Amino acid sequence: MTAVAVFDVGKTNVKLTIARPDGALVETISAANPVLAGPPYAHHDVGALEAWLIQGLRSLGARHAIEAVVATGHGSGGVLVDEDGPVLPMVDYEQALPPEIEAAYAGMAGSFRERGSAIMLGASHLARQMLWLESHWPEAFARARAYLAGPQYWAWRLGGVMASEVTSLAAQSHLWCPAEARPSVVAEQRGWLRLMPDLAPAWRCLGRLKPELTAATGLDPAVRIICGIHDSSANFYRYQAAGLTDVTVVSSGTWIAAISDGGAVPDEEGGGRCCNADVLGRPLPGVLAMAGREFAAVKGPGTGGADPAWLERLVATGTLALPTFGSDDGLYPGTAGRGAIEGPLKDEAAARGTLALLYCALIADRCLDGTASATVVLDGSFARDPLYAALIAALRPDRAVRVNLDHYGTATGAALLAGHEARSGPAPLDLATTQPLSLPGLDAYRARWRDRANARRNPD
């Protein structure tokens, strides 16, 4: 049976997964994606990752008949390249930028509709990375041929063809206006369009594996190199490939990302609003919150998982975890680093795992305020706990809530790209129906949590 190899580049880890053409995962290997302190700045070692990728393809290719390779990754990684390779390292998106770059960028980034996201911390946006690189390393910037988003960088390294791709550009890069499906004004005004290769669909075969990599990996010379896709859009694509419409997908991990194919694109900034794009370039309005780190902060060390009995006690006593525990304001501007736990059980260590899950369910519920659809699908790390899904269903009785028990949607969605043009029917998808949790006092608890969270916004 032929197989698709998916290279998934995350912030802290990378995975190489073998999947069947129907998206079912067969085998995965993984490694850390460490950040090097510099010089010239905090960055990821793409050379080391490439060596690991080649060795992984060789190892997995000895056991599986790999027919195509596709890369996926987060939206804040890009590489400035010439014909031979990187001219500067890939910036770590949590790298702080010089104050003068922050100030200059704020004055040129344009409206929220133009950007598709708030202006986030550090080097989160590819456009802001480009401004920094252009300003501080002008000679390297001038000789560059392209600035490639992560998935397309790996497609180029494997197949030798440069391309841009709409889901990667629309993922808060600020190089693309997803609401209007065009390059952003700042990209045009700065002359950066010269560094943006022609667009190709995420599913397009850009070419074959380069001969030297065929020799290094032992793979068939006919292996196709697929253009690649942003990770959240890959996860959404798996549901589109299965024929779902009018749906909001709430994925959880480092981020909660609630992305919908319905509703209007917001014009105004606020509350974690964002707008991505699907593989056809259509806008996907949504809301983002950095919930994974929030969960860890609330849970704390050495505590157990979520427990229904503790959940009842937390709600009954009004014990609240209030935003925001991380460095990103998220849904509540002005609350970064000011997270707090209050109420009778605030010091009860055994309750903290349950409180963390309840807090993240309330964050996910708040994210759903910014989306519109008849159906909500939950996937990712939080969805592994049935209490989380039951809480969302109870908080959202107006929507049908389903759970995807397969927690590797990004890899599945990316793998399905390889068969996009040949697919004649819906891709397989198994969703579980969720029954809402019956929990007295939950609505009142939610209302109090929202009131207290809103009161903490924008402190003097």
Side-chain angles (χ1 to χ4, degrees), residues 76-333:
S76 296
V79 189
L80 193 67
V81 303
D82 60 15
E83 289 79 1
D84 299 319
V87 299
L88 285 167
M90 175 187 279
V91 179
D92 168 31
Y93 72 72
E94 293 186 291
Q95 162 75 54
L97 300 184
E100 67 272 16
I101 296 298
E102 298 274 9
Y105 187 74
M108 69 177 66
S111 68
F112 174 78
R113 185 176 179 86
E114 186 72 22
R115 292 180 264 114
S117 82
I119 297 178
M120 301 163 73
L121 295 176
S124 297
H125 311 295
L126 300 189
R128 190 158 52 178
Q129 292 179 22
M130 291 180 76
L131 179 64
W132 186 33
L133 300 180
E134 182 180 40
S135 301
H136 285 64
W137 294 273
E139 293 183 2
F141 197 88
R143 74 170 185 269
R145 179 181 168 190
Y147 190 69
L148 300 175
Q152 289 68 56
Y153 171 78
W154 293 110
W156 171 60
R157 294 301 294 171
L158 293 172
V161 177
M162 293 184 181
S164 297
E165 187 275 325
V166 67
T167 69
S168 299
L169 291 178
Q172 294 80 59
S173 77
H174 294 182
L175 296 171
W176 188 259
C177 176
E180 300 177 16
R182 58 166 173 78
S184 67
V185 169
V186 70
E188 292 183 350
Q189 291 178 341
R190 299 294 302 185
W192 293 338
L193 296 186
R194 75 169 184 89
L195 296 171
M196 297 169 63
D198 291 342
L199 284 172
W203 63 80
R204 177 170 293 170
C205 172
L206 297 182
R208 307 293 171 172
L209 190 65
K210 293 191 292 188
E212 61 269 31
L213 295 183
T214 297
T217 61
L219 298 182
D220 191 306
V223 166
R224 295 183 295 146
I225 305 302
I226 307 301
C227 183
I229 188 170
H230 175 246
D231 50 13
S232 292
S233 295
N235 189 53
F236 200 89
Y237 175 70
R238 72 172 308 187
Y239 300 104
Q240 292 178 308
L244 268 64
T245 59
D246 193 18
V247 62
T248 297
V249 177
V250 183
S251 300
S252 55
T254 300
W255 294 85
I256 282 180
I259 299 176
S260 178
D261 62 357
V265 176
D267 289 324
E268 299 297 326
E269 190 170 324
R273 290 174 184 162
C274 66
C275 185
N276 287 17
D278 71 5
V279 293
L280 298 176
R282 298 173 298 198
L284 294 175
V287 182
L288 294 173
M290 196 176 245
R293 293 182 183 179
E294 297 273 296
F295 180 90
V298 175
K299 182 178 179 181
T303 57
D307 179 84
W310 277 118
L311 182 61
E312 290 184 12
R313 292 185 62 189
L314 289 167
V315 170
T317 60
T319 301
L320 306 170
L322 296 169
T324 297
F325 294 85
S327 59
D328 183 84
D329 278 342
L331 308 181
Y332 295 96

Side-chain angles (χ1 to χ4, degrees), residues 352-371:
R352 293 289 285 273
T354 308
L355 183 61
L357 189 75
L358 175 57
Y359 173 73
C360 289
L362 290 165
I363 291 289
D365 171 57
R366 176 67 179 76
C367 288
L368 284 168
D369 287 352
T371 67

